Amino acid sequence: MYRRNNWLLLLMVALCLFLSGCGDDDNNDSTKSSANITKAEFVGEVSAYFQWPHPDDYNDIWKTEPKKFNDVETTDEYGKLIEAAYEEGVISEDASGNFNPDSTVTYAEAAEILAEAFKVSDEIVEAYIDEFTSQSNQELLSTADFNSLFNDLKETIVAPTYALPRQNYAAPRRYVKLYTATPGATIYYTSDGTDPVVGESEVYTIPDKGHINEALSNDQLPERDVVYKAISVKEGMAPSEIQTFTWHLYRPVEAPYESKLIVEGSGTTPTVYQIYNNAESVRAMAWYIEGQTKAMLFDALQTNESSPYNLVTYIQNNLNRSGKELFLVIGHEHGDHDAQAPNFLAAGLDVYFNHRGWSAVIGGYFGKLFATDEEEAQIIDVEEGDSFDLGGASFDVYAMPGHANGNIVIQDKVHGLIFSSDIYGCTRAGSADNVGVSGLKVDRLLSFTQQTYSNYKKDDGKTTMLFTGHDESPLTDNNLRLFEAALQQVIDNGEAGCSPTLRGNNNPPYTRTTLIGDMWKDGTNWIALSIGGIMGDDYEYLTNSPTNAAGETTAINYNTDLTDSDAEQGFMKYSVLSNIDIEGGELEGVEVSWAAPVEFSWGGETITTYNSLPNKFDPWTYNYIIDVPTGNDTITIIPTTMSTQVQSIEINGEQVDYRSRTTIPVNDGTIITIDIVAPDAVTTSTYTFTVHNI
């Protein structure tokens, strides 16, 4: 059992040896040559070590405006680090609201800041300030002394436990992350208000616990406090003090809809409003899009139709004041995105909803969405290849299963506006730490992702703004690329490209996830996707037994066999394309299926939905036709291999690079071959493309 007096003794010894110069005549020499450290440098070093995030670096919708000094800009060399320390309460402003970044640092000032950072009690602060300032004959702290002191403190005293998200923002739920800056330290914690006991209380690690979900259940509304206590320890070092963290959760039982203008329309640009409801447990987003002649709502939130707050009425009274024809498009079949659909039917408005999602809304977890057969019969199917013309803005429809079989995406190619519902993830720090996409195997999803992105770009299409089902503001093209990159790292590295879930409580521990970036450092430029199974298990998150070029089922399993240390790494066998772009011609695709058909009752009839899409490139179909308009005597081929680590790609016997452009002379009947050698240097595939003039 650690004792507080042991902590104090170690601290006092460290301070005596490294600040007061005790037992070291050289340290008592006030003429030593090392330059004095500036306040900006000092706080910057301390802030970086303790890993305090800057408010600009994470996407937390419940954060308040960060505190600012009058004389520090965020863009200054140490600006973010200084402001992060200010936000943490470790430093304060002077009477004029300044930080004075270029000023020197006295020993007393250094001690006080370090005490705050290490979370030392006031009594200990006073004791060690008196101790080292009375023995030191240097008033100002030199860079050399600071480095010596700080390095010793980091090796002597365990850094305190810190917690994210910050405590002072009320929110409907929180995903709690605990951390300490001391490498190898163990965090013991409690969440019942009692003090943690070293060796007895629960141990927190991100792989074991993820970010722990603390949410309000319906019987806890409208508010409750969540209290965590934590201590960090490491053998041979003084333990940290116990830290207490309190988050105030607040969510009203019922609330009116609210909206925010995101894109101000013009004669050639659609208007876009974000709509949300603070009473909803997961705070989904709906997007009102208005053109010159019509208005569309994309997604219909989580508030039940029986609520006194009607989404149709809200839109008509607050957004669609000119009375343009209004209709609803459901992005996917989950209950936080379609709950108000019955109110649109009741108002006589059209509701579009992809048929692959219908079976999910007849019961089960989210309950029955439509009360009668008549309501179900009114639903209009929407599918890839459809489009919506709002007047001055036209939206093309694409299917993007993975999160849900019925997930669709719409794109305004001219203005680059993409509305995706949930498929591309969520970047809200501390409120949704990953998004499940295990409805497709990762390789199949990667192929669909690349094909869809190619379609976004066709005909000079733009990908400027991405609107998701839970992000509060639009994302960018970079988030589309991050989605692909997260899938690609799994294909290229197998289990080594995966990591344990961050979404504690929602997912079992070690749920297999692919992660890029850090939600507390990278703003909206990070992603986490749950792809199925538990790290190290035999769940097949990659394809097993595809067909070969002859149409025969082979024994290839791309999943890593974790039960046999000598087994080949399955992901090294990818010798297939995941996508192929053709300029000057059009590929005749095939029907691609990813799940079994579903038979169910809908609108009073028994129907079957097929989880498949026509006219797609299939990595395991090896013979294709390319339609080329008569008069085109060349086409350009851009091959994308499933793995970026393939040994070679050849087009008509000539070596080419991944995603390189190859222009080929063609006429009716021209045959083009693509040969690929897998990363294992053994497995091969050959594709044949025959040109047909049309």
Side-chain angles (χ1 to χ4, degrees):
M1 181 74 178
Y2 289 99
R3 295 185 182 276
R4 182 170 169 140
N5 60 341
N6 289 341
W7 189 100
L8 179 57
L9 177 61
L10 283 168
L11 177 61
M12 295 302 295
V13 168
L15 288 166
C16 179
L17 289 175
F18 290 94
L19 278 180
S20 69
C22 179
D24 187 345
D25 290 338
D26 290 338
N27 282 344
N28 287 325
D29 181 4
S30 61
T31 63
K32 58 194 296 185
S33 60
S34 190
N36 294 326
I37 192 168
T38 68
K39 197 174 180 183
E41 293 168 337
F42 176 86
V43 171
E45 291 287 339
V46 173
S47 184
Y49 172 69
F50 286 102
Q51 303 168 43
W52 301 317
H54 188 275
D56 287 355
D57 290 339
Y58 56 88
N59 177 24
D60 184 354
I61 62 172
W62 292 284
K63 67 187 177 185
T64 57
E65 285 297 315
K67 297 188 293 184
K68 300 283 187 179
F69 292 106
N70 293 333
D71 57 349
V72 174
E73 297 291 337
T74 304
T75 54
D76 292 347
E77 181 179 3
Y78 297 100
K80 279 191 173 183
L81 294 169
I82 293 168
E83 290 177 346
Y86 193 21
E87 191 80 5
E88 201 62 48
V90 172
I91 56 177
S92 58
E93 74 280 7
D94 65 15
S96 300
N98 294 326
F99 173 68
N100 304 303
D102 297 325
S103 64
T104 52
V105 181
T106 67
Y107 286 125
E109 289 171 331
E112 189 168 0
I113 291 171
L114 288 171
E116 290 289 345
F118 278 100
K119 300 296 185 184
V120 183
S121 66
D122 290 344
E123 292 82 1
I124 294 176
V125 172
E126 293 171 1
Y128 77 69
I129 287 178
D130 289 345
E131 175 68 19
F132 78 75
T133 55
S134 66
Q135 295 189 42
S136 174
N137 52 17
Q138 285 181 268
E139 180 181 356
L140 299 179
L141 179 64
S142 68
T143 300
D145 276 356
F146 165 71
N147 290 335
S148 183
L149 161 72
F150 198 35
N151 287 336
D152 186 68
L153 290 178
K154 289 186 289 188
E155 295 173 0
T156 305
I157 307 167
V158 178
T161 308
Y162 282 95
L164 294 170
R166 297 187 186 278
Q167 303 174 69
N168 56 332
Y169 317 131
R173 61 184 176 138
R174 282 309 199 184
Y175 282 82
V176 175
K177 172 187 176 181
L178 303 177
Y179 70 101
T180 175
T182 300
T186 300
I187 297 174
Y188 292 92
Y189 79 102
T190 62
S191 57
D192 61 2
T194 62
D195 286 349
V197 178
V198 175
E200 297 181 17
S201 296
E202 286 195 78
V203 173
Y204 178 87
T205 68
I206 290 178
D208 290 324
K209 300 292 184 180
H211 297 169
I212 304 173
N213 182 15
E214 294 288 353
L216 285 163
S217 61
N218 287 335
D219 59 0
Q220 294 171 326
L221 297 180
E223 58 191 323
R224 73 180 174 95
D225 283 340
V226 173
V227 179
Y228 277 52
K229 293 188 176 184
I231 184 172
S232 301
V233 299
K234 185 176 182 179
E235 187 175 356
M237 297 177 67
S240 73
E241 292 286 305
I242 293 175
Q243 301 302 309
T244 301
F245 309 99
T246 302
W247 292 271
H248 183 68
L249 305 187
Y250 174 76
R251 176 163 65 91
V253 177
E254 291 181 331
Y257 293 104
E258 298 180 47
S259 59
K260 181 169 61 176
L261 179 65
I262 303 298
V263 178
E264 187 168 0
S266 66
T268 58
T269 305
T271 297
V272 179
Y273 278 89
Q274 163 200 2
I275 306 177
Y276 55 91
N277 189 308
N278 285 324
E280 297 187 352
S281 62
V282 294
R283 194 178 159 92
M285 294 296 113
W287 304 98
Y288 172 79
I289 313 161
E290 183 179 295
Q292 299 304 303
T293 59
K294 295 182 181 180
M296 165 172 53
L297 182 71
F298 189 80
D299 275 346
L301 301 181
Q302 185 182 3
T303 300
N304 190 279
E305 62 173 310
S306 62
S307 165
Y309 299 104
N310 184 305
L311 187 53
V312 177
T313 302
Y314 176 81
I315 291 172
Q316 290 173 336
N317 291 343
N318 296 277
L319 304 180
N320 188 16
R321 293 191 178 94
S322 61
K324 291 174 182 173
E325 180 183 336
L326 174 66
F327 60 92
L328 169 66
V329 177
I330 295 176
H332 74 288
E333 60 267 26
H334 291 167
D336 52 334
H337 298 276
D338 61 14
Q340 282 285 304
N343 282 334
F344 280 77
L345 292 179
L349 304 178
D350 288 341
V351 174
Y352 294 85
F353 182 8
N354 179 263
H355 66 281
R356 285 184 294 276
W358 294 356
S359 64
V361 300
I362 59 176
Y365 179 79
F366 293 109
K368 187 172 175 61
L369 179 60
F370 302 108
T372 66
D373 291 345
E374 289 73 21
E375 285 184 335
E376 290 176 348
Q378 293 178 60
I379 299 303
I380 305 170
D381 187 23
V382 58
E383 182 60 287
E384 180 161 300
D386 292 342
S387 64
F388 298 106
D389 188 347
L390 303 184
S394 180
F395 287 85
D396 295 331
V397 178
Y398 305 95
M400 269 294 291
H403 179 70
N405 286 331
N407 207 120
I408 62 165
V409 179
I410 60 173
Q411 179 203 19
D412 174 353
K413 284 182 174 291
V414 174
H415 304 103
L417 308 181
I418 296 175
F419 297 82
S420 68
S421 214
D422 277 2
I423 184 62
Y424 287 120
C426 176
T427 67
R428 289 195 317 211
S431 65
D433 294 332
N434 65 38
V435 170
V437 295
S438 60
L440 269 70
K441 302 300 184 187
V442 175
D443 42 20
R444 177 68 73 193
L445 182 55
L446 176 62
S447 179
F448 276 7
T449 298
Q450 292 171 343
Q451 291 182 63
T452 301
Y453 189 83
S454 293
N455 286 331
Y456 292 158
K457 291 295 189 179
K458 279 185 179 178
D459 302 319
D460 298 321
K462 298 177 181 178
T463 54
T464 308
M465 303 172 76
L466 170 65
F467 301 82
T468 76
H470 292 276
D471 280 289
E472 302 284 325
S473 57
L475 306 178
T476 68
D477 177 77
N478 185 58
N479 296 89
L480 296 171
R481 295 179 182 276
L482 279 174
F483 185 80
E484 177 184 344
L487 301 172
Q488 188 69 63
Q489 72 179 2
V490 178
I491 300 298
D492 289 345
N493 302 289
E495 196 79 344
C498 305
S499 57
T501 183
L502 295 177
R503 203 172 189 190
N505 297 22
N506 289 76
N507 301 148
Y510 287 83
T511 292
R512 188 178 284 106
T513 303
T514 174
L515 171 68
I516 294 178
D518 186 319
M519 70 178 69
W520 297 105
K521 297 178 181 177
D522 296 322
T524 61
N525 293 315
W526 65 277
I527 193 167
L529 303 172
S530 173
I531 59 175
I534 305 298
M535 293 287 294
D537 69 3
D538 59 0
Y539 176 87
E540 292 181 343
Y541 55 94
L542 303 174
T543 295
N544 186 2
S545 297
T547 56
N548 62 18
E552 304 165 332
T553 298
T554 66
I556 293 180
N557 184 348
Y558 296 110
N559 299 273
T560 300
D561 186 352
L562 298 175
T563 63
D564 183 357
S565 60
D566 296 325
E568 289 185 39
Q569 302 292 295
F571 65 90
M572 297 290 286
K573 300 178 182 180
Y574 279 112
S575 61
V576 295
L577 295 171
S578 53
N579 187 30
I580 184 165
D581 289 307
I582 300 168
E583 297 175 359
E586 194 76 28
L587 185 78
E588 290 188 12
V590 298
E591 185 90 8
V592 174
S593 174
W594 64 87
V598 180
E599 184 179 279
F600 59 100
S601 177
W602 183 263
E605 299 181 3
T606 298
I607 66 172
T608 301
T609 60
Y610 295 88
N611 291 305
S612 62
L613 286 169
N615 197 29
K616 288 289 183 181
F617 175 77
D618 174 28
W620 297 281
T621 297
Y622 298 91
N623 297 289
Y624 289 93
I625 291 172
I626 300 175
D627 294 323
V628 177
T630 300
N632 282 11
D633 56 5
T634 65
I635 62 173
T636 298
I637 290 181
I638 306 167
T640 302
T641 52
M642 186 73 74
S643 171
T644 66
Q645 311 300 318
V646 294
Q647 293 289 309
S648 67
I649 310 168
E650 291 184 355
I651 297 181
N652 290 342
E654 296 292 329
Q655 184 83 24
V656 299
D657 294 329
Y658 175 85
R659 281 183 167 166
S660 62
R661 299 168 58 86
T662 300
T663 300
I664 301 168
V666 296
N667 52 44
D668 192 45
T670 297
I671 295 177
I672 302 165
T673 60
I674 299 181
D675 297 289
I676 304 166
V677 180
D680 66 2
V682 174
T683 311
T684 62
S685 293
T686 298
Y687 292 85
T688 300
F689 301 88
T690 303
V691 172
H692 280 187
N693 284 148
I694 57 172

